[in-house]
Amino acid sequence: MTQSSLLIKLLLAPYNGSISEGIIVFTNEEVPEKVDWHPRFASIRDGALTLQALTNLGLVVEARAHFSWISGILERDGIDRLQAEYNLDG
């Protein structure tokens, strides 16, 4: 469980509560020791499972932040314009 909770915390965008679906890693061919991490998108579809996982792991503050992020998107876009994925800024 510790590794799972650590991974979820690493994928969490602390400034707004969105959680990245994954991370894309780029290496620089000119400077091989330089690695760039690029979180890309957050999935609305996985939001309920993410909220449950955060709560089960005791990460209540993070769960509230993620719920707030999803709620903000629903308020802004409405159900008719809801997309499957959003960038981390919504």
Side-chain angles (χ1 to χ4, degrees):
M1 274 305 216
T2 303
Q3 291 174 343
S4 298
S5 59
L6 179 60
L7 180 60
I8 290 174
K9 283 193 71 91
L10 288 172
L11 294 174
L12 182 73
Y15 57 90
N16 68 359
S18 63
I19 296 180
S20 177
E21 287 183 334
I23 297 174
I24 298 172
V25 179
F26 294 97
T27 57
N28 187 331
E29 292 178 12
E30 295 173 10
V31 185
E33 60 273 359
K34 184 175 187 271
V35 176
D36 293 321
W37 300 83
H38 294 279
R40 300 300 241 186
F41 299 101
S43 172
I44 295 296
R45 178 194 69 193
D46 298 336
L49 294 173
T50 302
L51 288 171
Q52 183 179 12
L54 289 168
T55 303
N56 290 345
L57 291 167
L59 303 172
V60 178
V61 172
E62 291 83 352
R64 286 185 182 147
H66 190 58
F67 183 79
S68 177
W69 179 77
I70 292 173
S71 298
I73 288 173
L74 283 170
E75 287 177 15
R76 184 191 70 205
D77 292 355
I79 195 75
D80 295 334
R81 294 181 37 220
L82 192 62
Q83 302 173 35
E85 293 180 332
Y86 286 85
N87 65 29
L88 297 181
D89 292 330

